[in-house]
């Protein structure tokens, strides 16, 4: 190899080492820690928590009595033909709900609170899935960077070898041009991979809910999610039984039904009891009972609204059940294809790219293969490794989507990739 080739390779190795050192010194985080911080910081989850807290407060408020006691007081003078005297009185009255209105109101509020809690749980599942996805994709992006760095090093060595062979009269200008094009292409691929990794780190930090100035890189080797072994029918049944958003829809329907019961009972009058005490020429104490007569307003408007909301809630629940089934079917089929594509790679070949490149270089040095053949072998090995990482990316995407469709965050496998 020429001195120029040695220098170029040395600079590239030094830069790669510096980049690796910088990544090693950068703040990092494990997946478990990322999920814990997201539970505290993710804005979407915090909004859902605030919404649930507000609905729970309304549920507690529904237990309070609707009517407040009323106090009345009077002061006047009674004048007759023979005399004139002052009159003073004070009264207290309280109206009471009858017909089960308070129970229906509390039931509706409790169902809405349960629906808000179920939506909060679903949002937590979504956030956990997004953080897990971002974490694993960042790890894969880092593997892609390492692959492109190694590919660029080999391409630089190939270019130096082509220059050396041409100087010795054993090579051709075509070989030099091919080697130079390969080096340029691999440099571009490395820069793009580094850009994609930086974007993946930004996405991970955003999904956790970190400040814009804070960046945390994924810590540890890539560990894929466990392989799904349940059938499509089993997964659909599981999703229908455990999806929190389906439970929220059911609670909303029950709340609408309770609201309709409340509206129907508005026709039952609410009596008011009163007591008045006062003094004219004598002290007196009187008790009274008042009762509204529901002749004109019997809650017709409230019943119409409640009936419409109940029908709407029923339609939404039924639609969501169908949507969940379609989501599971689509996610399961996509995951099955992604798993088949990933399984089609020869793991020994793609994971041992460095060894295979070294063997190809030894064959080239020994004269068993020419420079152009070595360039082709090098390109095929690198592309196979990158394609394998693309297949892993698709597998992660679809496994996360399937887990979210059935209402669970996919567990990680013990197998190290």
């Amino acid at each position: 190899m020429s001195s120029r080739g040695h220098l170029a390779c040395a600079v590239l190795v030094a830069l790669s080492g510096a980049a690796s050192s910088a990544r090693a010194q950068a703040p990092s985080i494990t997946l478990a820690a990322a999920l814990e911080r997201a539970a505290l910081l993710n804005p979407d989850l915090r909004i859902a928590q605030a919404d649930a807290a507000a609905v729970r407060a309304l549920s507690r408020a529904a237990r309070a009595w609707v009517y407040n006691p009323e106090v009345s007081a009077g002061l006047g003078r009674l004048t007759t033909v023979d005399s004139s005297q002052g009159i003073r009185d004070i009264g207290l009255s309280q109206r009471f709900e009858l017909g089960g209105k308070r129970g229906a109101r509390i039931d509706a509020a409790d169902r809405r609170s349960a629906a808000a809690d179920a939506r909060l749980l679903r949002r937590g599942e979504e956030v956990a899935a997004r953080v897990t996805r971002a974490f694993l994709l960042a790890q894969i992006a880092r593997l892609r960077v390492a692959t492109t760095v190694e590919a660029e090093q080999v391409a630089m060595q190939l270019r130096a070898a082509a220059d050396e062979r041409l100087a010795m009269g054993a090579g051709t200008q075509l070989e030099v041009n091919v080697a130079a094009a390969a080096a340029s292409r691999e440099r571009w691929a490395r820069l793009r991979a580094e850009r994609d990794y930086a974007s993946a780190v930004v996405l991970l930090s955003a999904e956790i809910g970190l400040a814009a100035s804070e960046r945390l890189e994924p810590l540890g080797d890539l560990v894929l999610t466990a392989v799904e072994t349940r059938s499509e029918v089993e997964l659909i049944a599981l999703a229908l039984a455990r999806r929190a958003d389906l439970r929220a829809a059911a609670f909303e329907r029950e709340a609408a039904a309770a609201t309709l019961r409340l509206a129907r009972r508005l026709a039952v009058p609410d009596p008011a009891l009163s007591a008045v005490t006062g003094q004219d020429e004598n002290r007196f104490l009187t008790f009274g009972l008042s009762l509204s007569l529901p002749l004109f307003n019997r809650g017709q408007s409230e019943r119409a609204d409640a009936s419409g909301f109940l029908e709407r809630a029923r339609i939404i629940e039924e639609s969501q059940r169908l949507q969940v089934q379609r989501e599971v079917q689509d996610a399961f089929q996509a995951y099955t294809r992604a798993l088949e594509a990933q399984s089609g790679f020869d793991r020994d070949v793609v994971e041992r790219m460095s060894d295979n490149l070294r063997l190809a270089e030894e064959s080239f040095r020994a004269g068993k293969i020419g420079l152009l053949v070595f360039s082709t072998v090098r390109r095929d090995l690198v592309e196979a490794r990158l394609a394998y990482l693309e297949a892993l990316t698709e597998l992660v995407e679809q496994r996360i989507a399937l887990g979210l469709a059935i209402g669970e965050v996919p567990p990680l496998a013990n197998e190290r990739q």
Side-chain angles (χ1 to χ4, degrees), residues 127-372:
V127 168
R130 283 159 41 190
V131 171
T132 302
R133 171 186 176 274
F135 189 93
L136 297 180
L137 293 188
Q139 288 184 314
I140 295 176
R142 186 168 57 195
L143 292 176
R144 190 176 291 110
V145 170
T147 299
T148 55
V149 166
E150 187 172 2
E152 185 180 11
Q153 292 176 3
V154 175
M156 291 292 291
Q157 294 173 357
L158 178 66
R159 180 176 181 178
D163 290 339
E164 184 177 357
R165 284 167 58 87
L166 181 63
M168 296 173 57
T172 64
Q173 186 61 45
L174 177 61
E175 292 179 340
V176 173
N177 294 342
V178 170
S184 299
R185 184 174 62 249
E186 297 303 342
R187 181 177 183 274
W188 173 81
R190 174 181 60 81
L191 293 174
R192 185 178 63 173
E194 291 175 348
R195 179 204 64 193
D196 292 344
Y197 177 64
S199 298
V201 170
V202 170
L203 177 60
L204 174 60
S205 301
E207 295 292 10
I208 294 174
L210 302 177
S213 59
E214 189 175 4
R215 296 284 187 274
L216 291 178
E217 300 189 13
L219 180 64
D221 296 331
L222 175 64
V223 180
L224 292 183
T225 53
V227 176
E228 181 57 67
T229 58
R230 290 165 291 189
S231 67
E232 180 179 315
V233 174
E234 292 175 318
L235 293 178
I236 291 176
L238 179 62
L240 294 176
R242 70 178 300 170
R243 279 277 292 260
D245 50 344
L246 283 183
R247 293 201 301 275
F251 285 132
E252 290 289 359
R253 172 182 51 78
E254 294 170 0
T259 302
L260 179 58
R261 290 198 305 272
L262 173 62
R264 287 171 176 169
R265 291 168 185 174
L266 292 177
V268 179
D270 295 332
L273 298 178
S274 62
V276 178
T277 183
Q279 182 178 355
D280 43 25
E281 60 181 6
N282 300 306
R283 290 184 177 276
F284 62 87
L285 175 63
T286 61
F287 297 95
L289 172 65
S290 64
L291 191 67
S292 63
L293 298 179
L295 298 179
F296 306 112
N297 184 2
R298 300 173 55 86
Q300 299 95 322
S301 176
E302 289 82 353
R303 286 199 301 273
D305 286 344
S307 296
F309 279 115
L310 177 57
E311 182 62 21
R312 179 177 182 273
R314 287 171 176 165
I315 294 173
I316 289 176
E317 182 183 13
E318 180 181 355
S319 175
Q320 281 195 259
R321 289 181 64 86
L322 294 175
Q323 180 64 25
V324 166
Q325 295 180 53
R326 286 191 289 265
E327 286 179 6
V328 175
Q329 290 172 343
D330 182 61
F332 181 80
Q333 294 171 8
Y335 169 73
T336 301
R337 290 191 294 269
L339 183 61
E340 182 180 357
Q342 187 267 343
S343 301
F345 284 88
D346 189 330
R347 288 277 300 277
D348 290 337
V349 172
V350 296
E351 293 293 353
R352 294 171 55 202
M353 185 190 76
S354 300
D355 295 339
N356 293 330
L357 285 175
R358 181 179 52 79
L359 292 175
E361 184 178 3
E362 290 177 356
S363 298
F364 165 68
R365 296 294 182 185
K368 297 180 180 179
I369 59 175
L371 185 63
L372 294 180

Side-chain angles (χ1 to χ4, degrees), residues 29-46:
I29 191 171
T30 64
L31 177 56
L35 292 172
E36 290 178 359
R37 294 196 64 179
L40 298 175
L41 301 177
N42 183 273
D44 293 337
L45 189 55
R46 292 169 61 192

Side-chain angles (χ1 to χ4, degrees), residues 93-104:
S93 65
Q94 175 65 57
R95 189 171 295 276
F96 300 91
E97 283 188 299
L98 296 182
K101 298 186 190 70
R102 183 170 181 269

